[in-house]
């Protein structure tokens, strides 16, 4: 849905992953067992917290109604995770 909002506004969307996420994947791919499990969960929680904060910022400070509505729907879903 967010992609459709960007398309309607004729915004370009970059494909691929950000460098910090590629670095996380690279780091995780080198781990095994309990070390992987711990690092994976740490990464999962950190990224979910980052996403949650981005959405909350849009809800409180956003000025594009469709983006604010999308973020408002995402907040409870992310919090449930």
């Amino acid at each position: 849905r967010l992609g459709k909002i960007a398309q309607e506004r004729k915004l370009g969307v970059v494909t691929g992953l950000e460098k910090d996420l590629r670095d996380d994947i690279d780091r995780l791919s080198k781990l095994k067992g309990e070390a992987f499990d711990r690092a994976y969960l740490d990464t999962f929680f950190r990224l979910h917290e980052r996403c949650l904060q981005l959405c909350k910022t849009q809800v409180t400070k956003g000025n594009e109604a469709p983006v604010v509505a999308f973020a408002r729907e995402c907040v409870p879903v992310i919090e449930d995770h």
Side-chain angles (χ1 to χ4, degrees):
R1 211 171 108 203
L2 193 55
K4 184 177 179 183
I5 293 170
Q7 185 180 28
E8 289 170 352
R9 283 163 175 63
K10 296 182 177 28
L11 299 172
V13 177
V14 177
T15 58
L17 303 174
E18 296 174 353
K19 183 182 180 327
D20 61 337
L21 188 52
R22 287 192 316 266
D23 291 345
D24 285 334
I25 292 169
D26 184 51
R27 182 177 51 84
L28 289 170
S29 71
K30 296 173 184 172
L31 301 174
K32 295 184 191 288
E34 190 175 319
F36 171 82
D37 293 345
R38 191 173 302 118
Y40 176 83
L41 287 174
D42 288 345
T43 302
F44 176 85
F45 289 121
R46 180 176 48 81
L47 293 176
H48 267 66
E49 185 60 33
R50 181 171 139 197
C51 185
L52 180 60
Q53 291 309 313
L54 287 170
C55 287
K56 285 182 173 183
T57 298
Q58 280 302 308
V59 168
T60 59
K61 297 181 181 179
N63 57 11
E64 290 281 333
V67 177
V68 171
F70 178 81
R72 186 173 286 119
E73 290 178 20
C74 289
V75 167
V77 173
I78 298 167
E79 287 177 332
D80 283 347
H81 282 169

